[in-house]
Amino acid sequence: MNPLACTPCRGGEWAAAGDLVCQGSPCAPGQFGAAYAKTASEAICAYCKSGQFTATAGQTSCSGSACPSGQSGPGGQTSAAGATCALCASGQFSTGPGQTACLGVPCPPGSVGSLGSTVNVSLSRSEERRVGKECL
């Protein structure tokens, strides 16, 4: 068989050596799967990271850029409009790209912190009291 005449299976599908058709089901929009999967275990679908999307079924990669550290957004999106990123709230953080949620506890009333932090900036109870008094 001429390799140039071969067509890869879509994300979520696979074909063993000698198969004439791809097996399985294509990944749904908002998901992606490996190209050239040879077994069902290689054809697992995964959700796109926050900031990324796939608009059609069977994709082998996601479009867009993953939300950077210090931001989060919804994963598994099906359009660029839904693949948005937002800065972590004051007192919260995210340490890696593509996070769907920020970690930590928002700053309590009467205190402030930086938006979009990439490190844990949560305050201890004694620090919360001190900062709260200083911010009054």
Side-chain angles (χ1 to χ4, degrees):
M1 179 179 262
N2 179 351
L4 296 178
C6 298
T7 302
C9 294
R10 298 183 294 173
E13 298 177 329
W14 74 93
D19 283 354
L20 299 176
V21 295
C22 296
Q23 307 296 316
S25 298
C27 295
Q31 300 179 355
F32 69 102
Y36 297 100
K38 296 179 256 352
T39 64
S41 62
E42 291 179 357
I44 303 289
C45 296
Y47 287 100
C48 294
K49 292 182 177 188
S50 65
Q52 297 182 313
F53 69 97
T54 58
T56 57
Q59 298 301 304
T60 57
S61 65
C62 298
S63 298
S65 297
C67 294
S69 297
Q71 298 184 21
S72 69
Q77 294 300 300
T78 60
S79 70
T84 58
C85 301
L87 291 171
C88 293
S90 177
Q92 292 188 304
F93 66 100
S94 71
T95 58
Q99 300 296 309
T100 57
C102 294
L103 305 172
V105 179
C107 288
S111 65
V112 295
S114 61
L115 293 174
S117 182
T118 60
V119 295
N120 186 349
V121 294
S122 295
L123 303 173
S124 68
R125 286 285 181 214
S126 62
E127 289 174 317
E128 283 180 11
R129 284 188 220 101
R130 179 182 57 76
V131 169
K133 287 179 183 174
E134 290 175 1
C135 293
L136 288 176

